[in-house]
Amino acid sequence: MSPKPWLKIAIEENREPLLPIPGDRFALIDPHPYAALGADYAERSPFWLRASVLGRLLRAQAQLSLLKPGYRLQIFDAYRPLSVQQFMVDHTRQQLLADQGLTEETVDPATLAAVNEQVFTFWAAPNEDPKQPPPHSTGAAVDLTIVATDGQELDMGSPIDEPSDRSYPDYFLGRSPIAHQNRELLNQVMTAAGFVRHPNEWWHFSFGDQLWAWRLQAPAALYGRYALLEA
């Protein structure tokens, strides 16, 4: 498993609070898919972000409303404690093994290594090192899509969290004009608000975390793992 290059970026924590994402301004996934699987978010729902990140998300929604009146950003997932990160990494690994008729007890080391490589291409490691927090644990990352005026999700070509090449942002360039155009609309409104997109995931955007700092060549990230502020 290759280490993510942004994990080398320093963090200068600015101690902003987490705030709830207002359900009247965005479409929120309910019931939440990870919670439905048994992931425990404890005292918070998945729909929290750092204050400045939430402000920029509101800015992105305003931009979307200008371009496509009646369209809304649909929030899939935002704040994610380390325990949920671990839960979903384990769940994804088990699913990929099950697709091959395997379990962790029956898989050979080479196949398990290949599966883990696939898992960690799309999931951050649930690392307890405060210098290498998973992006969602900082409250600075959000997974999202767009719904039209009828409440239906736009065709993005593949679902959020699919661990395959179809998740790469430009996968449908030259393959499906509609899916690529819809992904570009999402990217346009999010980057206009100051977010950066994950290089492997069309749905994942960050502001202020290590990924953001790495993409913009900033000297330091603004947010580390939020739970450390409450410890």
Side-chain angles (χ1 to χ4, degrees):
M1 181 179 66
S2 303
K4 302 292 195 300
W6 49 87
L7 295 178
K8 298 176 182 179
I9 301 292
I11 300 170
E12 296 180 2
E13 174 61 61
N14 75 0
R15 307 191 67 84
E16 276 188 2
L18 281 175
L19 297 178
I21 299 171
D24 61 335
R25 304 291 296 276
F26 304 94
L28 306 182
I29 296 283
D30 183 36
H32 189 268
Y34 304 163
L37 290 171
D40 183 6
Y41 280 83
E43 74 280 3
R44 289 191 178 89
S45 79
F47 305 118
W48 292 68
L49 286 169
R50 297 288 190 122
S52 292
V53 184
L54 178 56
R56 290 178 180 274
L57 189 64
L58 289 163
R59 213 180 293 177
Q61 176 59 58
Q63 177 69 9
L64 178 62
S65 296
L66 285 175
L67 296 173
K68 297 285 186 178
Y71 281 35
R72 287 198 296 168
L73 295 172
Q74 179 170 265
I75 313 305
F76 182 89
D77 195 48
Y79 175 67
R80 189 186 302 158
L82 209 60
S83 59
V84 174
Q85 190 76 20
Q86 182 70 63
F87 181 95
M88 289 308 303
V89 163
D90 294 343
H91 174 78
T92 304
R93 180 187 300 111
Q94 291 160 11
Q95 272 205 319
L96 291 173
L97 288 171
D99 289 345
Q100 301 180 53
L102 300 169
T103 66
E104 293 194 50
E105 291 71 34
T106 62
V107 65
D108 63 274
T111 301
L112 181 59
V115 167
N116 279 329
E117 185 71 27
Q118 187 176 359
V119 170
F120 290 115
T121 297
F122 301 99
W123 288 91
N127 196 336
E128 294 191 9
D129 183 347
K131 295 180 180 179
Q132 298 186 356
H136 284 274
S137 74
T138 69
V142 59
D143 296 340
L144 75 173
T145 186
I146 296 174
V147 294
T149 52
D150 60 1
Q152 296 299 307
E153 294 182 20
L154 299 191
D155 176 13
M156 296 291 183
S158 63
I160 289 174
D161 281 349
E162 181 178 294
S164 81
D165 289 354
R166 298 199 310 167
S167 294
Y168 291 119
D170 289 332
Y171 178 84
F172 286 102
L173 178 62
R175 289 185 171 97
S176 171
I178 292 176
H180 184 71
Q181 179 179 321
N182 290 337
R183 290 183 179 194
E184 285 302 289
L185 174 62
L186 178 62
N187 186 53
Q188 178 183 352
V189 300
M190 293 298 287
T191 56
F195 289 91
V196 300
R197 183 168 60 181
H198 194 292
N200 298 344
E201 302 171 357
W202 64 259
W203 61 83
H204 177 122
F205 291 83
S206 296
F207 174 82
D209 63 4
Q210 289 172 303
L211 171 60
W212 168 87
W214 176 72
R215 292 298 297 262
L216 297 184
Q217 298 185 320
L222 308 177
Y223 308 114
R225 181 152 55 97
Y226 187 78
L228 298 177
L229 300 182
E230 302 180 309

